[in-house]
Amino acid sequence: MGIVLLKLSSHGPDRPDVEIDFHPKRRVVVGPSDTGKSYIHACLWYLLGGDAPDSTFPQAQGYQELRLRLLAGDVEYEVRRGINGGSAAIWSRADGNEEPLAFEAVERDLGELIVELSGAAGKQLLRNQSERGPVTGDDIRHWALWSQTEVPADFATSGVGYATPKRTSSFNLFLTGNDDAAIQITKSKAEVERIKGQLTSAEAALERVKAGLPSDVKRDDVAEAIERVDATLAAMTSQYEARATKLKELRREFADTAEEHAIAANRRNHAHSMISRFQLLDEKYTNDLSRLGASNEGAAFFEALPEVACPLCGTSTADQHGHHDHPQPKPKDYQLAIKAEAEKVQSLRRGLLVALERERGRFSEFRAEAERLGGNLNALQNREAAVVNGARIEFTGDPKTLALRRSDLAAQLGIFDEIERLEAEVARLGKSKVRKRVNVTRDGGTHGRAVADRAKVLLEDWGLTDIKNISLDAGECDLLINDRARLSYGAGLRSLYLASLVIALMEYAVEHEHPHLGVVVLDSPLKPYADPKRTESPDVEPSTVREKFYRWLSDWAGYGQIVVLENEEVPDSLTDAVKPIVFTKNPALGRAGFYPYRDLPEPATDAQPEMKLNEPAGDSSDQKDDDSDLLPPP
């Protein structure tokens, strides 16, 4: 991905806005020392997530905010930060929309945004042998923005201090496009100490567990004893289940028989009750016949008596008339009625006797059935008792005792398992506490060869034609020129070789879509080579290198964007092509510096600490031509 710098500006109340416009491919800012060129580098570093520039910069007084516009794809971003520090505010709008109100706030961390825009989001870098972490904004800025002290410095390009391993990793990420996610890391000292503590605890636990086990007990013996107990319990369980099945069948049969016996008993009792009722009714019929016989004999006796006239009046019975004139029944009529009633009772008694006989037969049948079912119930009860008593006699062992024995054996077997686990843990921790050294070999391969070839072409274009062979040491993140390390050369050549390396790396990374910011900022790459105070004799005339460098830059249209901040002036013949921003240090001639010229109070006579720009971590503090002391000419 990468970005394109568009504009750097500084703002403050009652102060004119200060702006630096960047060409999409190249921008050169030239001028003498103390005009603000290095301040531009410091502002870019700050607005891309680094430390703030020096707040005591004289000409910056009254200015409160720095802004940087940059383009990433089809989105234009504006980063705003207070000069005195604080978090960054990020705004964005679609590319091509020139309306100031079109900017919308973006709730993102600046460092995360820079990493994402560089294409390094999600990549992992080695911070040291025992730690791996994501790419940070510092990794991106380090290989893109080079200060005036870093360019000719005699220390490694990856810097010095704790950040060196991850900067080496980020260099190779830009070079190859591959991160360190697959590299096996070693353990940290803290992790090793933690493992040692765990090992001590495991060994102590092992001794405690062994103390709870008799010395003459063996695991095989315990396992065999458990198998025997399990076999016995299984046999007992199987036999109990078989007897339970038999008892279940017996009890089901007993229930069915009991139900049948109850039905038969009810029927028997019902038949017996019916016989008693029928016998009582037969006695009633017998009494009725006896009564009717007596009544019939009385009527016959009455009929045999002679008629007697009235002793008073002598009137015969036939001539006597009473109050009622109904005819009086005769004894013969009574006898006929008694006969009819007797015949009816006899007919009922004959039917009753038949029913009584049938009920006596049913009673005999039901009584026999009840007696038979009762015998069956007794037989079933005897069988159930025999099954239960048989189970008690067969199992002489106590299941409870066997279960307790098995529990004890299982506990002993668990101790053996715990001993085995602890011994394995002790062995594992013993191996884990060893801190193996991880040797990471950085080999750029074809990528390194391609970047070195690009750097050689650049150096030849700049007039350094004595390079017989060149290669890239990916482990040192630096060039080997004519079989010599870059740092073995003088400051002037070191600067030019470094410039060729970082530009070639940017071009290669952007061309092959490897992570990279897509921008290189170089502060004074030519000045060390042309510095007349240097004692080394340059291989080529300084003017030739300067002219060829600017001529190359005027025609350059490669991948990425280059910003050069330089003391060496652009030759007049190349001014129209390069179109540099010139700081004159003279308020009456062009642009004096980054900030407009202002009259400033004379500095105090007391000794004041030298004001320096805040360079990124690892920069040298003894900067020689520092731009932080911007004062008007005498």
Side-chain angles (χ1 to χ4, degrees):
M1 294 180 63
I3 66 172
V4 177
L5 301 178
L6 300 179
K7 179 187 296 186
L8 170 66
S9 61
S10 182
H11 306 265
D14 302 326
R15 293 287 184 269
D17 292 346
V18 175
E19 296 182 351
I20 293 291
D21 291 322
F22 297 100
H23 186 275
K25 300 303 296 181
R26 57 195 175 277
R27 170 56 70 199
V28 177
V29 180
V30 297
S33 297
D34 298 335
T35 54
K37 300 186 306 299
S38 293
Y39 188 79
I40 293 175
H41 171 275
C43 291
L44 292 175
W45 183 276
Y46 177 54
L47 291 169
L48 291 174
D51 297 330
D54 195 339
S55 60
T56 62
F57 189 54
Q59 296 290 354
Q61 294 177 11
Y63 287 89
Q64 297 180 354
E65 185 180 59
L66 292 171
R67 298 180 184 179
L68 176 64
R69 288 192 184 181
L70 55 93
L71 183 65
D74 57 355
V75 179
E76 181 181 347
Y77 291 93
E78 183 171 270
V79 180
R80 304 174 185 176
R81 296 188 75 177
I83 290 180
N84 294 325
S87 59
I90 305 174
W91 301 76
S92 69
R93 67 182 179 185
D95 182 29
N97 189 343
E98 299 299 330
E99 292 293 331
L101 297 179
F103 277 106
E104 296 181 355
V106 178
E107 297 297 331
R108 291 291 303 278
D109 177 78
L110 179 57
E112 293 179 356
L113 178 63
I114 295 302
V115 172
E116 179 181 324
L117 296 181
S118 69
K123 302 295 185 180
Q124 294 287 309
L125 302 179
L126 284 181
R127 300 183 184 276
N128 50 55
Q129 289 191 347
S130 59
E131 183 181 2
R132 183 169 40 230
V135 179
T136 64
D138 177 67
D139 303 317
I140 303 299
R141 291 188 303 273
H142 177 80
W143 295 106
L145 281 70
W146 294 87
S147 69
Q148 185 178 356
T149 56
E150 289 178 316
V151 171
D154 59 355
F155 50 77
T157 58
S158 57
V160 293
Y162 70 93
T164 300
K166 73 185 185 74
R167 286 175 177 168
T168 302
S169 298
S170 60
F171 177 88
N172 284 270
L173 171 64
F174 303 153
L175 177 65
T176 65
N178 299 320
D179 66 352
D180 297 335
I183 295 179
Q184 184 67 33
I185 61 177
T186 188
K187 300 177 181 67
S188 64
K189 290 183 179 179
E191 188 175 359
V192 170
E193 293 300 323
R194 179 180 59 81
I195 292 175
K196 289 181 178 178
Q198 292 178 345
L199 177 60
T200 302
S201 298
E203 290 173 342
L206 180 60
E207 293 300 323
R208 288 195 303 270
V209 172
K210 286 183 176 179
L213 190 69
S215 58
D216 58 342
V217 176
K218 297 182 180 180
R219 181 188 181 92
D220 294 340
D221 295 339
V222 174
E224 183 179 355
I226 286 181
E227 290 180 359
R228 292 196 300 269
V229 172
D230 287 342
T232 303
L233 289 174
M236 294 177 69
T237 301
S238 176
Q239 293 179 7
Y240 273 122
E241 289 177 350
R243 279 160 177 73
T245 301
K246 291 182 179 179
L247 287 174
K248 183 177 180 180
E249 293 176 355
L250 284 174
R251 286 164 182 168
R252 183 176 60 250
E253 186 177 354
F254 184 87
D256 294 340
T257 304
E259 183 178 2
E260 293 177 358
H261 178 267
I263 293 173
N266 289 336
R267 290 177 177 176
R268 180 198 60 192
N269 295 336
H270 180 267
H272 184 268
S273 175
M274 293 301 296
I275 290 173
S276 298
R277 293 180 182 181
F278 287 169
Q279 288 175 344
L280 181 61
L281 185 58
D282 182 56
E283 291 178 358
K284 176 180 178 299
Y285 286 162
T286 301
N287 292 334
D288 289 343
L289 290 175
S290 297
R291 178 178 54 81
L292 290 174
S295 298
N296 184 47
E297 290 178 357
F301 177 76
F302 184 78
E303 185 178 9
L305 292 175
E307 292 184 0
V308 178
C310 177
L312 296 177
C313 62
T315 304
S316 63
T317 304
D319 294 333
Q320 290 179 4
H321 298 286
H323 175 72
H324 302 289
D325 51 1
H326 295 291
Q328 295 294 323
K330 297 180 179 181
K332 191 65 175 177
D333 295 333
Y334 283 110
Q335 288 180 330
L336 291 174
I338 289 171
K339 182 180 181 181
E341 183 67 17
E343 290 177 355
K344 181 179 72 172
V345 170
Q346 288 177 353
S347 176
L348 291 173
R349 187 168 182 269
R350 285 192 299 271
L352 177 62
L353 293 176
V354 172
L356 179 60
E357 188 62 27
R358 185 174 67 251
E359 202 64 33
R360 284 173 177 167
R362 293 179 68 246
F363 173 77
S364 299
E365 178 183 352
F366 293 149
R367 181 176 59 184
E369 180 69 12
E371 290 176 353
R372 182 183 67 80
L373 292 173
N376 291 343
L377 286 176
N378 291 330
L380 290 173
Q381 288 177 342
N382 294 332
R383 288 172 58 189
E384 180 181 19
V387 170
V388 172
N389 293 330
R392 292 176 179 173
I393 293 172
E394 181 176 356
F395 294 115
T396 57
D398 184 6
K400 181 178 179 180
T401 302
L402 289 175
L404 292 175
R405 175 59 177 164
R406 192 194 186 286
S407 179
D408 293 339
L409 293 172
Q412 293 181 2
L413 191 61
I415 292 176
F416 280 110
D417 292 338
E418 183 66 10
I419 291 175
E420 183 177 349
R421 185 190 69 81
L422 288 173
E423 288 177 345
E425 183 70 5
V426 168
R428 183 187 69 82
L429 292 173
K431 294 179 180 179
S432 299
K433 73 175 182 178
V434 178
R435 190 183 183 196
K436 297 181 180 179
R437 183 174 181 84
V438 177
N439 295 319
V440 180
T441 302
R442 302 290 185 182
D443 183 8
T446 57
H447 305 285
R449 180 71 265 162
V451 170
D453 291 342
R454 283 175 182 255
K456 184 174 185 293
V457 172
L458 291 175
L459 292 170
E460 290 175 346
D461 289 342
W462 299 346
L464 304 176
T465 58
D466 64 333
I467 300 176
K468 298 180 179 58
N469 60 74
I470 188 171
S471 61
L472 176 65
D473 186 343
E476 295 295 329
C477 309
D478 215 336
L479 292 173
L480 293 172
I481 303 99
N482 295 334
D483 298 324
R484 288 177 58 186
R486 182 187 67 87
L487 295 179
S488 67
Y489 290 90
L493 289 177
R494 287 201 304 265
S495 301
L496 294 174
Y497 292 159
L498 176 65
S500 68
L501 170 62
V502 296
I503 292 174
L505 176 64
M506 175 193 67
E507 288 189 288
Y508 187 80
V510 175
E511 179 184 1
H512 292 84
E513 298 183 352
H514 296 173
H516 196 280
L517 190 62
V519 175
V520 166
V521 179
L522 295 169
D523 190 357
S524 303
L526 297 174
K527 180 180 178 181
Y529 191 86
D531 192 344
K533 296 180 181 180
R534 301 287 181 180
T535 59
E536 68 268 22
S537 299
D539 299 325
V540 184
E541 289 295 327
S543 59
T544 302
V545 172
R546 174 173 61 91
E547 291 175 2
K548 289 190 174 183
F549 179 85
Y550 283 129
R551 182 177 293 110
W552 164 83
L553 188 59
S554 67
D555 296 332
W556 182 78
Y559 295 95
Q561 182 183 26
I562 299 175
V563 177
V564 177
L565 311 171
E566 184 55 68
N567 288 63
E568 297 298 316
E569 296 181 358
V570 178
D572 294 339
S573 60
L574 297 174
T575 301
D576 293 338
V578 177
K579 295 182 175 58
I581 297 176
V582 180
F583 294 163
T584 66
K585 203 175 182 179
N586 186 348
L589 181 63
R591 182 168 180 174
F594 180 73
Y595 285 107
Y597 168 77
R598 288 185 294 139
D599 288 329
L600 297 173
E602 291 294 332
T605 58
D606 296 337
Q608 299 290 333
E610 183 182 2
M611 291 181 290
K612 296 181 176 63
L613 297 180
N614 286 344
E615 296 293 348
D619 291 346
S620 174
S621 61
D622 55 348
Q623 180 175 344
K624 199 164 183 182
D625 294 308
D626 189 66
D627 291 342
S628 63
D629 191 16
L630 184 58
L631 296 175

